[in-house]
Amino acid sequence: MAGTARRCSSIRGQTPGNDYRPGNSTTLSFGLRYEADPRWVPQLQLNLLHKSPDQGALADVQNTAGNVAYLSPGITAQLSARLNLFVFAQLPVYSNLYGIQLFPRWTASAGATYAF
């Protein structure tokens, strides 16, 4: 189980209206792994995202906040004792976005880990 929280600080400039501050966001991820065979490990994650509205005179406050839940199936393949490859698809199962926002139907990520 993993959780991440991120906090952003204000960006202040010398000119009026230059006080834009991105909204805070919090991400929580929960997952299960089936480790019957260490060479192929299927996984399933639930990723929850909450984003507060942006702030400041020039912020688009009405269109920058919301909540999203993703179901993320994936697999990790062990290529050697030190090298693993992984791939995940992220599929939205719930969204409550404020205003008009672009939202992907799905995303994918892939990568590798190497233990030294």
Side-chain angles (χ1 to χ4, degrees):
M1 180 169 53
T4 303
R6 179 178 63 188
R7 189 142 178 73
C8 299
S9 60
S10 297
I11 301 170
R12 299 199 185 275
Q14 299 297 331
T15 57
N18 207 9
D19 61 346
Y20 174 76
R21 181 181 179 276
N24 295 330
S25 64
T26 303
T27 304
L28 294 175
S29 297
F30 305 93
L32 299 171
R33 299 168 59 127
Y34 183 69
E35 296 185 351
D37 182 353
R39 295 173 297 165
W40 299 98
V41 180
Q43 302 170 61
L44 184 64
Q45 292 182 359
L46 177 64
N47 312 115
L48 306 173
L49 169 67
H50 169 75
K51 184 173 180 307
S52 300
D54 294 352
Q55 298 175 3
L58 301 177
D60 187 4
V61 177
Q62 301 300 318
N63 297 307
T64 57
N67 301 297
V68 182
Y70 297 97
L71 193 61
S72 303
I75 191 163
T76 298
Q78 183 181 32
L79 298 184
S80 71
R82 295 182 173 196
L83 180 62
N84 290 320
L85 297 180
F86 64 87
V87 64
F88 279 93
Q90 199 172 43
L91 310 168
V93 293
Y94 171 80
S95 66
N96 181 17
L97 301 174
Y98 305 163
I100 300 170
Q101 297 185 45
L102 295 175
F103 182 64
R105 293 184 186 159
W106 62 274
T107 61
S109 60
T113 58
Y114 184 82
F116 292 95

